[in-house]
Amino acid sequence: MSYAEILSINIGKPKQIQFKNKEVSTGILKLPANESLFLSWLNLEGDGQGDLVHHGGKEKAVCVYPYEHYPFWEKELQKTLDFGAFGENLTIRGLAETDVCIGDIFKFGEALVQVSQPRQPCYKLSIKYDAPDMPLTMQKTGFTGFYLRVLEEGLVSKADGLTRISRHPRAITVSYANRIMHHAKEDIAGIKKILEVKELSVNWRATFVKRLDGIEVNPQERLTGNL
């Protein structure tokens, strides 16, 4: 059994921001919430996503980011970062991408949650920090965080922490999935290994299946905003 301390629960409704002479809607600007919140199938009470094509939904109900990466980004961006700096719902300490597997199940207050996929960084991080290379750097480092789907709804709070109650037998870490997705795109054995995990999100599964079929999926569009 493994445990992660929750340093902050962060929520926020979508806001309009300027990008390339147009307005885009984003839920990346989240703030800490100290009260207990209801976690539904889709998100935390008071939270929302601006781009429902690429964010949110049942398989990406909760975004988690390890606080252990904050010092790296503070040095990279040359600024002090507050909790929720990456648009994550949970800023945690004690479990990183190398420790967490696709399909792992955690107790979170009254709720049960399950790891569904790594977080796919997008261009809105670049807008927030005026750092064009930030999403690509996040991919290269593997400091992506990950998403949770909700298996049982319930009331949650920062004090609850995340307690792993089931580790997936295939042991495909978030870090390994990131490596195959972004760095070892022609590793057919690795792709097949990941596809054995039925708990992998529909979107990531579709991308890997297309690669097996010889259709390269270009993730750069989400990094740059050229959608």
Side-chain angles (χ1 to χ4, degrees):
M1 184 180 293
S2 301
Y3 174 83
E5 178 186 6
I6 297 176
L7 300 178
S8 182
I9 295 181
N10 315 295
I11 58 173
K13 293 293 189 180
K15 293 181 173 62
Q16 298 295 118
I17 59 174
Q18 289 291 321
F19 176 65
K20 293 184 177 179
N21 299 316
K22 64 179 181 179
E23 284 196 341
V24 295
S25 180
T26 178
I28 202 170
L29 306 173
K30 301 189 187 302
L31 295 172
N34 295 316
E35 69 274 16
S36 295
L37 300 170
F38 185 75
L39 176 58
S40 72
W41 305 116
L42 292 178
N43 53 27
L44 284 157
E45 177 185 351
D47 194 45
Q49 295 81 30
D51 176 3
L52 293 176
V53 174
H54 298 104
H55 303 284
K58 288 189 175 183
E59 296 196 320
K60 293 182 279 188
V62 180
C63 183
V64 183
Y65 202 77
Y67 185 69
E68 285 83 352
H69 303 326
Y70 269 59
F72 170 85
W73 289 112
E74 288 182 334
K75 184 177 180 181
E76 189 81 3
L77 298 170
Q78 298 188 336
K79 65 184 298 179
T80 301
L81 298 173
D82 297 323
F83 293 143
F86 306 96
E88 76 270 21
N89 298 115
L90 305 183
T91 310
I92 65 168
R93 181 163 55 197
L95 286 173
E97 293 86 352
T98 51
D99 310 312
V100 178
C101 299
I102 308 298
D104 283 0
I105 297 174
F106 290 84
K107 182 70 173 170
F108 179 21
E110 296 177 353
L112 272 185
V113 293
Q114 183 178 53
V115 180
S116 60
Q117 67 166 74
R119 188 236 185 107
Q120 188 93 16
C122 82
Y123 71 98
K124 290 173 185 177
L125 284 164
S126 299
I127 301 173
K128 182 177 181 180
Y129 293 106
D130 191 24
D133 294 334
M134 189 173 177
L136 190 57
T137 301
M138 188 173 276
Q139 270 188 12
K140 287 179 177 178
T141 58
F143 297 164
T144 60
F146 51 92
Y147 281 111
L148 304 173
R149 63 168 63 89
V150 178
L151 301 181
E152 290 182 13
E153 298 178 311
L155 203 63
V156 300
S157 73
K158 182 173 72 171
D160 295 326
L162 282 177
T163 302
R164 181 159 46 200
I165 62 172
S166 174
R167 187 174 177 88
H168 197 278
R170 296 288 183 184
I172 299 296
T173 64
V174 169
S175 180
Y176 182 84
N178 269 327
R179 186 174 71 81
I180 300 300
M181 175 65 81
H182 303 303
H183 307 294
K185 297 180 180 181
E186 297 180 1
D187 186 342
I188 300 302
I191 292 173
K192 289 181 177 179
K193 188 176 176 182
I194 292 173
L195 288 174
E196 290 174 355
V197 181
K198 63 181 179 62
E199 293 84 358
L200 181 69
S201 71
V202 171
N203 286 342
W204 271 55
R205 177 172 297 280
T207 297
F208 285 129
V209 167
K210 285 178 180 178
R211 285 197 186 159
L212 285 184
D213 291 341
I215 305 169
E216 177 57 55
V217 179
N218 183 9
Q220 293 300 112
E221 291 183 340
R222 290 202 59 239
L223 298 180
T224 61
N226 296 321
L227 297 172

